[in-house]
Amino acid sequence: MTSMIATLEIVRFVAAIALCTALFALAVYGLYRNIKETAETAIREELEQAIKEASKPVVKVEIQTKGKW
């Protein structure tokens, strides 16, 4: 009976470690996903801004003067 209780305690301990490992992995994955989404959003906004800037017409005005005023 004592060996069975010891075995159950070991199983319970291993299950607790597995649960903690799974929770840690879930937390790391959540942080990774959050960072990835933030980076994707920033890149998308920068690309949209670059496209807007590139689509603006460029007007170059030069004034030539003749003689003195």
Side-chain angles (χ1 to χ4, degrees), residues 30-57:
L31 288 173
Y32 163 77
R33 219 172 79 192
N34 188 17
I35 291 170
K36 183 179 174 187
E37 288 175 1
T38 303
E40 287 175 350
T41 302
I43 290 171
R44 185 178 310 111
E45 290 173 356
E46 288 179 12
L47 284 174
E48 288 173 357
Q49 184 65 27
I51 290 170
K52 286 178 185 176
E53 291 295 323
S55 66
K56 291 181 180 176

Side-chain angles (χ1 to χ4, degrees), residues 9-23:
E9 287 295 319
I10 290 172
V11 168
R12 186 175 69 125
F13 180 72
V14 170
I17 291 174
L19 177 63
C20 289
T21 304
L23 289 174

Side-chain angles (χ1 to χ4, degrees), residues 57-63:
V58 177
V59 178
K60 188 174 186 180
V61 177
E62 292 183 15
I63 301 175

